Amino acid sequence: MQDSRSAASALDPATLGRQLFEASPDCVKLLDGEGRIVAINRCGIEALGADSIDTLRGRLWRSFVPEASHAELDASMAQAHAGGVGRFRGCMPDPQGLTRWWEVTISPIDGGLLATSRDISEQVAAEAERERLLAQLRSANERMEDVFRQAPAFMCVFTGPGLVFDMVNERYLQLVGGRDPVGLALREALPELAGQGFVELLEGVYRSGEPVFGTDVPVMLQRRPGAPLERRFVDQVYMPLRDPDGGVSGILVHGIDVTDRKLNEIALYESRERFQKIVSQAATGVVQMDTEGRITLVNQKYCEMVGRSEAELLGVSVLDFTAPGSVPVTIDAMRRLAGGEQGVVVDKEYLRRDGSLMPVTSSVNALRGPSGEFQGLVAIVVDTTEKRRAEEQLRASEERYRTLFESVDQGFCILEMIFDEDERPVDYRFLEMNRMFEVHTGLVGGAGKTAREMVPTLDSFWFETYGRVAQTGEPVRFESEAPAMERWFDVYATRLGGPGSNRVALLFSDITSRKESEATLRKLASDLAEADRRKTEFLATLAHELRNPLAPIRSGLGVMRLKGDSPAAVARVREMMERQVGNMVNLIDDLLDIARISGGKLELKKERADLRTVLSSAVETSLPLVESGRHELTVDLPETEVPVEADVTRIAQVVANLLNNAAKYTPAGGCIGLALRVEDDHAVISVSDNGIGIPQDQLSAVFEMFSQVGQHTERSQGGLGIGLSLVRRLVNMHGGEVSAASRGPGTGSVFTVRLPLASGAQAGGDMAPAFEPDGAGGEGARILVVDDNVDAAVTLSMILDACGYTTRVAHDGAHAVELAAAFRPQVAFLDIGMPGMDGYQTARAMRRLAGLEHITLVALTGWGADSDRQKSSEAGFDHHLTKPVQLDVVQDLLAKLAA
Ligand code: ADP
């Protein structure tokens, strides 16, 4: 300061320059061309830590400059040398060691250099401080932005009352589905918020300046274009932002999307709820225990199972009500689970309050914390009372069944079906069988063998049947024959086990003998039915046959009443009545004979006789019948005696029977032959005719009792169907045989009797005259009487004659029709059963005759059933009378007709 004051007083420019040089606050140095110090002011001397210029003069200024600044110094000096001004900044410690900053300016001056170093240490420090503060601010800002951007929370800033988005962070974009709202008003950017209350809420914050907080706030957002609104949950804060004047200028929205947590919470809640429900209502017991085995949770079922209430159980150890016998397994299970095992199953028993035991199966699992630490146990407990009972029952029933199957008298076995690759049953193996199996099948040692091994020819029926039982599971019961085993079986077969099982159980019996007796029984029943049918027919026939002789007898009595004064007529009628009574006696004799033979009471009065004589007497007996049929009888007997040991009456009866049949079953005017010959040691009698013949299938049946070929037909010639039966029995009693032969209907028949011979003799025979019927004359109405029973026809015509009618008589249909054409009767009585043309045919033929259209036809028959009346009316009969006809009935009828 002193220098500057003295300088101010001096006006010498050099002095002034000197003073300025000395008083300069900068360090000023004058350097030569090489940079050596020529002059230096006070400030410079101090700065270089010297006392005077003396120690500094001539020294390179460069040597005082720190090496770090050498390059800049050199460059600035070079610039000054070149006529410019070189500048650089550098730092250099001061003599006290404190770093000082210098701003150096080098300019050229008269072949040297002027270097001015201004101390800018404070300026540099201030600059550095500013820089530091700026940097701090920058980094704070950056951090803020990072926070804003990377915050785990969503953030956005609205400005102005119109709520325009100013900033949003990534999380916010994620929340709203990536729509960038910056620059848009909230209402336009997120239109779906309308009606949800958020816009109004924010506007309220803006107005009031009061922040708003919300947790678990549901918000519906359109997170993808076109997709339905999505519900999100957020925890959020609306913070008013204030400008420097304290007025609200915007709102910071800051929050967290808690949707996942919320949904998890909901799910957890629901699942917990569900779990609780399931556990409480479970049909199995559930119990939870802590690490000490004390109960912390039980469900209703568990309480029921152990017979205690929930209150009694909570906090108690399960061991307290575990049956003593089950305590060790329970402790062991707990230990194992505490030791690291995850789950164990224990069969144990609880001791109930009432002292009873409850068997259970308990599946116990360890409960572990996040790091696997043992936290307790949970057990699912199932009541096994029923299971045990069922097991015991099964055992007991198996035993029972085994005993049963061993003790039944039926066969029992278990089979295993064998199928081929196409699932067709081809065989089966016997797995086991009971004792009776062998008895019913006759098969020995079958276990392990197959059916085909035991019975190679066994029918496939058995494989198929049992195969079907195995495949369908449907049991079957059947009876079937196994021809390969020559047995019948009654079998019940059922599958053992469920679908897929190949095992079939059989319970069966050998029913061969039952089947045989059933067949016998069936035969017997059918024989019985046949016998019964014949008997019924026989009774009807018997009634008919008894009426036949009764009819003429009754008529005869009528004649005797009317013509008792005519001895000739009475004599004729008596003769006829005797004959008819004789017929009845024969019939009844036949019946008695049959009864005697059946009862074993008929005794043969055998004697030695010539069969020829016997035959002659038979011819005598049959002659009236032969003659009434106008048959031609040829008798062919040997010349020599045919000796037999026989009951001659019975053999005559046999032959007469055969001759009578020949006459009966041959239309009028037939040929009948009787022949006797000797063959070996037998006498052979044959009776042949050219009559109606016998169907082949009836040839042996005609010898059966009550059998008649075709009843109620034109064949029917009366008779009881016992004649041939009697013949056979009598012949058999004589040690002989009888047989019938015929080539069929209409071809005649031959009956052959073979009798054992006794020794030889000869016999002959002769014939009796035929009975000639005749019609009696009279006046009044013309009546035709037609009946093959000559006596019946004649007596009726005699009665009618006596009553004043004019009658004619015919004994067969053809003759009747012929007679009617000539005689032109007003009334005709027609018998129905006649050989050849029967009554029906005759009636029809008569009706067809010219002039006889209105003839009154009266059926006269032994058959009086409704069906018979029906038949006669169909054939054109006007009336139907049954034999024997009563005279007053006939008279009534004729009187009515006359009226
Ligand atoms: P019926 O009393 O009916 O004559 P039989 O026992 O004498 O009884 O004869 C049985 C049946 O055999 C007869 O009903 C008849 O059908 C048949 N018959 C018997 N002999 C002859 C024969 N010579 N020609 C045709 N059929 C006959």
Side-chain angles (χ1 to χ4, degrees):
M1 287 303 281
Q2 204 165 352
D3 286 345
S4 59
R5 265 192 313 270
S6 53
S9 61
L11 292 172
D12 174 19
T15 308
L16 183 67
R18 179 126 198 114
Q19 281 181 346
L20 283 175
F21 177 75
E22 277 303 334
S24 171
D26 301 330
C27 300
V28 184
K29 296 156 286 267
L30 198 60
L31 304 176
D32 64 11
E34 275 148 34
R36 291 177 201 281
I37 297 172
V38 177
I40 184 162
N41 71 350
R42 171 114 331 265
C43 196
I45 294 167
E46 279 172 17
L48 291 177
D51 297 331
S52 68
I53 185 152
D54 302 335
T55 54
L56 299 172
R57 191 175 292 120
R59 292 190 53 185
L60 278 173
W61 179 50
R62 197 173 184 266
S63 65
F64 296 99
V65 175
E67 248 178 51
S69 298
H70 280 184
E72 279 178 298
L73 171 67
D74 294 345
S76 297
M77 285 197 1
Q79 212 170 343
H81 281 306
V85 178
R87 278 195 185 87
F88 74 92
R89 271 189 185 192
C91 90
M92 203 172 75
D94 67 5
Q96 285 77 42
L98 293 170
T99 303
R100 301 201 73 83
W101 279 90
W102 303 92
E103 188 170 62
V104 182
T105 311
I106 304 174
S107 48
I109 185 166
D110 287 342
L113 298 168
L114 180 67
T116 310
S117 302
R118 180 168 292 165
D119 185 351
I120 57 163
S121 294
E122 274 172 23
Q123 185 194 332
V124 166
E127 271 176 14
E129 181 60 14
R130 206 192 81 213
E131 277 303 313
R132 194 182 60 78
L133 287 174
L134 271 176
Q136 258 182 7
L137 190 65
R138 254 198 314 273
S139 88
N141 265 348
E142 272 167 18
R143 269 206 306 279
M144 275 306 290
E145 257 184 43
D146 279 356
V147 166
F148 190 83
R149 238 192 338 271
Q150 293 167 12
F154 62 79
M155 288 185 188
C156 73
V157 176
F158 293 106
T159 54
L163 301 175
V164 173
F165 278 99
D166 188 30
M167 286 170 68
V168 294
N169 71 351
E170 194 55 39
R171 285 290 161 120
Y172 192 83
L173 288 177
Q174 281 171 9
L175 176 68
V176 299
R179 291 171 289 176
D180 185 0
V182 173
L184 298 176
L186 175 58
R187 286 178 195 276
E188 327 155 60
L190 306 176
E192 71 268 26
L193 293 184
Q196 295 191 46
F198 295 102
V199 180
E200 295 73 9
L201 204 59
L202 283 161
E203 285 169 348
V205 171
Y206 199 91
R207 269 195 310 276
S208 66
E210 293 295 325
V212 170
F213 303 85
T215 49
D216 292 347
V217 182
V219 51
M220 303 300 292
L221 288 167
Q222 178 91 53
R223 302 185 78 216
R224 271 175 297 134
L229 296 189
E230 198 177 308
R231 188 169 62 148
R232 307 296 294 179
F233 291 91
V234 292
D235 286 353
Q236 58 183 0
V237 188
Y238 295 167
M239 281 291 250
L241 296 175
R242 294 174 188 279
D243 58 19
D245 306 332
V248 176
S249 61
I251 299 173
L252 168 71
V253 177
H254 166 235
I256 302 170
D257 181 350
V258 293
T259 310
D260 291 346
R261 191 201 73 206
K262 188 73 191 167
L263 292 180
N264 280 341
E265 267 176 23
I266 293 173
L268 188 66
Y269 175 79
E270 285 174 352
S271 83
R272 215 176 261 157
E273 186 94 323
R274 249 197 326 267
F275 173 73
Q276 292 241 313
K277 255 189 211 146
I278 290 170
V279 167
S280 70
Q281 295 169 5
T284 50
V286 178
V287 56
Q288 188 178 319
M289 291 151 274
D290 63 13
T291 50
E292 308 298 319
R294 283 184 301 257
I295 293 174
T296 52
L297 177 147
V298 285
N299 71 347
Q300 187 53 36
K301 182 69 187 177
Y302 188 83
C303 295
E304 287 165 17
M305 285 165 73
V306 301
R308 286 168 172 82
S309 71
E310 182 178 5
E312 286 174 294
L313 290 171
L314 290 178
V316 171
S317 166
V318 280
L319 293 174
D320 291 357
F321 51 90
T322 293
S326 299
V327 169
V329 282
T330 309
I331 292 175
D332 177 57
M334 286 173 158
R335 247 188 227 134
R336 278 160 60 194
L337 290 163
E341 265 181 58
Q342 193 48 46
V344 292
V345 176
V346 188
D347 282 321
K348 60 181 279 186
E349 282 175 333
Y350 284 122
L351 186 59
R352 293 164 64 100
R353 181 167 294 300
D354 62 8
S356 61
L357 292 177
M358 155 71 58
V360 298
T361 296
S362 180
S363 308
V364 200
N365 275 60
L367 294 172
R368 298 196 189 280
S371 40
E373 73 276 16
F374 179 60
Q375 289 185 332
L377 304 165
V378 63
I380 309 286
V381 185
V382 180
D383 173 357
T384 52
T385 316
E386 273 312 311
K387 197 174 129 204
R388 275 205 198 170
R389 191 176 301 150
E391 280 169 3
E392 266 156 32
Q393 275 176 354
L394 186 68
R395 242 196 325 278
S397 89
E398 261 175 17
E399 252 163 51
R400 259 201 316 276
Y401 280 114
R402 193 153 290 284
T403 323
L404 177 71
F405 286 129
E406 277 309 328
S407 53
V408 288
D409 59 357
Q410 284 184 289
F412 174 75
C413 64
I414 297 175
L415 315 174
E416 183 182 52
M417 287 307 303
I418 301 171
F419 296 96
D420 67 8
E421 58 270 22
D422 298 326
E423 295 292 307
R424 277 192 303 256
V426 288
D427 201 353
Y428 49 80
R429 190 177 300 285
F430 294 101
L431 298 182
E432 53 178 304
M433 55 265 297
N434 69 349
R435 226 169 12 86
M436 291 304 282
F437 177 89
E438 195 179 311
V439 176
H440 285 276
T441 58
L443 301 176
V444 185
K449 292 203 184 134
T450 75
R452 282 193 193 279
E453 282 166 7
M454 310 271 291
V455 189
T457 54
L458 189 64
D459 248 274
S460 66
F461 163 83
W462 301 91
F463 310 126
E464 282 158 15
T465 306
Y466 299 150
R468 207 161 33 247
V469 170
Q471 282 167 332
T472 64
E474 280 169 27
V476 291
R477 170 87 198 255
F478 63 92
E479 287 184 1
S480 184
E481 191 183 7
M485 299 170 77
E486 292 178 355
R487 281 170 201 243
W488 273 87
F489 292 104
D490 172 8
V491 185
Y492 175 74
T494 182
R495 181 172 73 193
L496 284 185
S501 164
N502 279 356
R503 291 189 308 144
V504 174
L506 306 184
L507 191 59
F508 64 95
S509 310
D510 173 6
I511 52 164
T512 315
S513 54
R514 194 192 85 200
K515 280 281 165 190
E516 282 166 2
S517 51
E518 271 175 13
T520 315
L521 266 178
R522 259 199 303 279
K523 172 89 174 52
L524 277 174
S526 103
D527 289 357
L528 257 179
E530 174 62 14
D532 188 51
R533 186 184 64 75
R534 290 214 197 116
K535 195 188 75 200
T536 310
E537 271 163 17
F538 164 73
L539 288 174
T541 313
L542 179 62
H544 177 262
E545 284 311 299
L546 289 174
R547 275 176 181 155
N548 266 343
L550 279 173
I553 292 171
R554 175 179 272 171
S555 303
L557 289 172
V559 172
M560 286 169 109
R561 186 153 37 85
L562 292 168
K563 288 208 165 182
D565 51 348
S566 159
V570 170
R572 226 175 124 197
V573 166
R574 192 191 306 118
E575 222 175 85
M576 175 276 292
M577 286 168 77
E578 278 167 5
R579 245 193 331 274
Q580 291 303 332
V581 170
N583 281 349
M584 273 181 78
V585 170
N586 283 341
L587 209 69
I588 290 163
D589 280 350
D590 272 3
L591 270 175
L592 286 174
D593 285 347
I594 283 284
R596 276 195 208 106
I597 294 174
S598 298
K601 289 180 190 145
L602 185 99
E603 277 179 26
L604 295 180
K605 295 189 190 88
K606 282 193 184 173
E607 55 184 306
R608 192 187 158 90
D610 180 358
L611 202 49
R612 294 177 304 168
T613 321
V614 182
L615 261 51
S616 298
S617 101
V619 168
E620 220 166 283
T621 311
S622 301
L623 209 52
L625 206 52
V626 173
E627 286 182 341
S628 76
R630 298 197 303 277
H631 303 302
E632 191 184 318
L633 176 67
T634 314
V635 181
D636 178 10
L637 302 178
E639 300 283 303
T640 53
E641 187 200 26
V642 181
V644 288
E645 192 73 35
D647 182 330
V648 290
T649 320
R650 294 303 178 188
I651 294 301
Q653 192 181 351
V654 164
V655 178
N657 242 320
L658 295 176
L659 284 170
N660 284 350
N661 278 350
K664 272 160 68 182
Y665 300 107
T666 301
C671 295
I672 297 173
L674 171 66
L676 173 63
R677 61 184 189 280
V678 173
E679 269 178 24
D680 302 328
D681 49 356
H682 278 84
V684 180
I685 309 160
S686 68
V687 178
S688 59
D689 62 58
N690 61 351
I692 61 174
I694 300 172
Q696 289 292 315
D697 60 339
Q698 299 284 322
L699 282 173
S700 63
V702 293
F703 293 102
E704 312 253 320
M705 179 94 114
F706 312 137
S707 111
Q708 292 183 312
V709 180
Q711 276 91 24
H712 296 222
T713 67
E714 79 286 353
R715 287 186 64 97
S716 177
Q717 294 305 312
L720 295 174
I722 56 173
L724 288 179
S725 165
L726 190 58
V727 165
R728 186 170 65 180
R729 292 181 195 209
L730 290 174
V731 171
N732 289 350
M733 283 174 84
H734 280 88
E737 284 166 6
V738 59
S739 62
S742 170
R743 274 176 286 122
T747 61
S749 318
V750 181
F751 284 82
T752 308
V753 177
R754 291 166 66 84
L755 290 173
L757 280 177
S759 55
Q762 269 194 332
D766 62 9
M767 296 184 188
F771 176 74
E772 264 306 313
D774 198 2
E779 285 130 37
R782 293 185 302 283
I783 298 177
L784 177 62
V785 178
V786 186
D787 196 330
D788 63 325
N789 184 323
V790 177
D791 287 343
V794 169
T795 47
L796 181 58
S797 92
M798 283 172 77
I799 288 173
L800 295 172
D801 282 347
C803 292
Y805 300 104
T806 306
T807 63
R808 292 285 187 280
V809 175
H811 300 302
D812 62 60
H815 184 219
V817 175
E818 215 174 286
L819 201 57
F823 174 57
R824 302 172 63 75
Q826 286 132 323
V827 179
F829 288 90
L830 301 183
D831 179 27
I832 298 295
M834 293 187 290
M837 222 168 156
D838 66 11
Y840 303 126
Q841 290 166 319
T842 311
R844 287 197 190 92
M846 272 189 196
R847 276 240 187 275
R848 281 198 293 271
L849 289 177
L852 285 189
E853 295 86 357
H854 303 297
I855 184 175
T856 299
L857 295 175
V858 183
L860 266 185
T861 163
W863 308 108
D866 281 353
S867 59
D868 298 314
R869 289 174 188 279
Q870 167 88 15
K871 245 168 126 185
S872 68
S873 120
E874 279 166 14
F877 280 99
D878 300 298
H879 300 277
H880 185 111
L881 301 181
T882 49
K883 292 180 184 173
V885 196
Q886 273 164 303
L887 186 58
D888 49 350
V889 175
V890 175
Q891 279 174 331
D892 265 13
L893 182 73
L894 290 173
K896 269 187 210 145
L897 289 175

